[in-house]
């Protein structure tokens, strides 16, 4: 008996030491090195396509993948990042200056960091720029430190509503004010379309939503019959519900892509995911119109003389882009996909950078064991995004627009629904598609930026492309 007890004790101790050893190893392995390459993160995932030999291919280096280096820019400006009171601002304003350019313009923006200690970059959210102009610290450039400058040059090929923001410590810097709108107007030398064209960025200040820099009601006098376009941008970390009442309207663009054959709707709530944009348009009626941020007093109020009232509406049905507008053929009709990727978001117990707890996971693994998606230029790619994490995740792939094919197994049936930031609610499942036509190393992450900082970050890498930049270390690169 004594012998048995002793034997059992020994077995118990051995088991305990073993388990402690395994937990210790998991902890140890999860710690991120002080400096590392984005290319070292993630488990290579070829999505069923050829895996090739990465090293055997001619190497394209990210910092060579620039926009045009020669030629006079059509649009040139300087954005100076600096502390302004309790905010961080571009050119002393939050949001930063609204940039308006024309399609086809060669855009040149020089970023100057006056005194933001962590460094700054500018990412052109939704603009599929060449990789070196993408503004991701530690992936496409080094963070621009106080006293330094960096020039971005790219051709404005798309038309629509975009925004820009720092992609260095973005979870802190966007909230503090380092962001602004970028509008690319359609080309041609004719006069711009007459009417009202306003960009409104929803952003929380001290917990209260504002439209641009005003928390509360803004008033605008608009004559009946005038065409009004409102470009709605959400720079917050969670979805924002916006209600437009008083006029029938159309949703003319989503994430900077025109909707095909938009039909007139009335009395809808627009659920704008974090990072996403909706452009709405209407002809000013006789009576007032109100665009409000649900759950707050903040609104834009339009009427003939700018006065009057319009109550905030009761709950309205949510606008659904999956069934809106007229279908049109796309490059993916009947296509054979070269690769299919899975992106299953969950939560699990484990270690993230040495911290134990319940962390975001992708395909069952915690960062940096999340996937590194590998493609070849020209590939048609399908991605299945699933969310079983209990929270909403606005997933944003840099450098590409993706077409939503289906939601919860049901094919989309309206206009082609192109997005750069897809709001994926818990329990939802999407199939999206994109063409690999922009070589580089691209972030693919949740635009709830604290989630990205907590590990909901991946990359899409083109075969043969490598980045010389490093995360962490002496360059202080920390994009999330
Ligand atoms: Cu607007 Cu990587 O983000
Ligand atoms: Cu998220």
């Amino acid at each position: 008996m004594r012998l048995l007890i002793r034997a059992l004790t020994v077995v118990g101790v051995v088991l305990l030491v073993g388990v402690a050893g395994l937990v210790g190893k998991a902890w140890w392995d999860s710690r991120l090195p002080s400096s590392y390459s984005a290319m070292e993160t993630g488990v290579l995932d070829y999505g069923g396509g050829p895996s090739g030999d990465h090293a055997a291919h001619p190497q394209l280096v990210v910092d060579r993948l620039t926009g045009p280096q020669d030629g006079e820019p059509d649009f040139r400006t300087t954005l100076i990042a600096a502390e302004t009171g309790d905010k961080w601002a571009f050119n002393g304003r939050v949001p930063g200056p609204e940039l308006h350019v024309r399609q086809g313009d060669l855009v040149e923006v020089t970023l100057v960091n006056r005194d933001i200690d962590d460094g700054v970059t500018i990412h052109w959210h939704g603009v599929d720029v060449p990789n070196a102009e993408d503004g991701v610290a530690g992936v496409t450039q080094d963070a621009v430190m106080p006293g330094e400058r960096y020039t971005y040059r790219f051709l404005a090929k798309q038309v629509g509503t975009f925004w820009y923001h720092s992609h260095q410590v973005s979870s802190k810097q966007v909230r503090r004010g380092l962001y602004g709108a970028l509008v690319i107007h359609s080309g041609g030398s004719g006069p711009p379309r007459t009417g009202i064209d306003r960009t409104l960025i929803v952003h929380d200040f001290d917990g209260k939503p504002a439209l641009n820099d005003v928390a509360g009601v803004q008033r605008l006098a608009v004559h009946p019959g005038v065409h009004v376009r409102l470009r709605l941008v959400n720079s917050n970390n969670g979805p924002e519900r916006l209600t437009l009442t008083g006029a029938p309207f159309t949703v003319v663009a989503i994430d900077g892509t025109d909707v095909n054959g938009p039909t007139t709707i009335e009395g809808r709530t627009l659920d704008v995911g974090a990072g996403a944009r909706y452009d709405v348009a209407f002809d000013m009626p006789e009576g007032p119109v109100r665009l409000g941020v649900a759950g707050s007093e903040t609104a834009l109020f339009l009427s003939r003389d700018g006065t009057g009232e319009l109550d905030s509406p009761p709950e309205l049905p949510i606008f659904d882009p999956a069934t809106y507008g007229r279908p049109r053929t796309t490059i993916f009709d009947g296509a054979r996909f070269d690769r299919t990727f899975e992106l299953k978001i969950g939560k699990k117990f484990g270690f993230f950078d040495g911290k134990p707890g319940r962390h975001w996971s992708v395909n069952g693994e915690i960062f940096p064991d999340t996937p590194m998606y590998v493609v070849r230029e020209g590939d048609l790619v399908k991605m299945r995004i699933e969310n079983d994490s209990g929270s909403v995740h606005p997933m944003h792939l840099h450098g590409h627009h993706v077409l939503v094919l289906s939601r919860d197994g049901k094919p989309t049936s309206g206009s082609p629904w192109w997005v750069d930031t897809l709001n994926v609610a818990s329990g939802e499942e999407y199939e999206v598609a994109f063409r690999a036509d922009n070589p580089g190393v691209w972030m693919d992450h949740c635009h709830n930026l604290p989630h990205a900082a907590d590990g909901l970050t991946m990359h899409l890498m083109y075969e043969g492309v490598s980045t010389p930049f490093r995360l962490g270390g002496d360059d202080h690169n920390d994009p999330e």
Side-chain angles (χ1 to χ4, degrees), residues 123-126 134 136 163-167 170 174 275 396-398 421 443-447 449 479:
H123 168 59
W124 310 98
H125 184 117
D134 199 42
V136 180
W163 61 301
Y164 62 88
H165 61 79
S166 178
H167 223 309
S170 53
V174 175
H396 173 46
L397 172 63
H398 285 211
T421 318
M443 273 186 102
D444 184 6
H445 64 95
C446 177
H447 221 285
L449 298 169

Side-chain angles (χ1 to χ4, degrees), residues 200-458:
L200 299 164
I201 307 182
V202 192
H203 192 90
D204 283 2
F205 296 100
D206 305 318
K208 281 203 200 104
L211 288 170
N212 296 337
D213 55 351
V214 182
V217 181
Q218 309 178 48
R219 292 175 175 278
L220 200 60
V222 183
H223 269 287
V226 168
H227 185 76
V228 180
R229 181 180 185 131
L230 302 177
R231 302 167 182 272
L232 313 173
V233 183
N234 179 3
S235 63
N236 278 330
N237 287 314
E240 290 294 341
R241 298 205 156 169
L242 302 172
T243 50
L244 181 63
T245 44
F249 65 98
T250 54
V251 177
V252 287
I254 298 174
D255 281 6
T257 304
D258 282 353
V259 171
N260 187 49
T263 47
T264 304
I265 50 176
E266 198 169 0
R268 282 296 193 294
T269 292
L270 301 164
D271 193 14
V272 187
R277 287 90 58 217
Y278 277 173
D279 292 18
V280 295
F282 55 90
D283 290 323
M284 188 64 193
E286 291 292 330
V289 176
R290 182 180 182 279
L291 175 92
V293 182
S296 80
E297 292 301 305
T298 297
L300 175 70
F301 183 86
L302 307 91
S303 70
R304 185 187 284 270
D305 59 2
T307 67
E309 293 301 330
L310 197 60
D311 283 343
S312 56
E315 290 240 325
L316 295 170
I318 297 207
F319 166 75
D320 185 5
T323 55
Y324 183 70
R326 211 176 331 112
R328 175 151 93 189
T329 56
T330 72
I331 53 164
F332 302 109
D333 290 341
R336 208 188 53 75
F337 287 92
D338 300 289
R339 302 179 196 256
T340 302
F341 295 117
E342 302 284 334
L343 198 169
K344 274 190 179 181
I345 308 167
K347 239 185 164 182
K348 74 166 204 179
F349 271 102
F351 293 97
F352 167 62
D353 195 11
K355 293 184 287 284
R358 278 193 84 213
H359 296 292
W360 305 120
S361 63
V362 175
N363 299 347
E365 301 292 340
I366 294 170
F367 186 89
D369 299 324
T370 45
M372 167 65 89
Y373 300 113
V374 186
V375 293
R376 220 174 243 189
E377 191 171 0
D379 281 348
L380 295 186
V381 183
K382 189 191 271 193
M383 193 178 258
R384 207 168 288 127
I385 309 176
E386 238 182 276
N387 178 1
D388 286 311
S389 68
S391 314
V392 57
H393 299 293
M395 298 309 293
H396 173 46
L397 172 63
H398 285 211
H400 303 75
H401 270 71
V402 303
L403 181 72
V404 182
L405 302 174
S406 72
R407 182 179 57 208
D408 299 334
K410 205 166 167 242
T412 51
S413 58
S415 160
W417 177 18
W418 290 95
V419 295
D420 52 59
T421 318
L422 182 63
N423 200 53
V424 185
S426 189
E428 280 186 336
E429 184 186 331
Y430 284 91
E431 272 186 321
V432 302
F434 65 93
R435 177 158 52 181
D437 56 4
N438 198 3
V441 180
W442 301 99
M443 273 186 102
D444 184 6
H445 64 95
C446 177
H447 221 285
N448 183 324
L449 298 169
H451 289 183
D454 286 338
L456 213 34
T457 297
M458 289 144 285

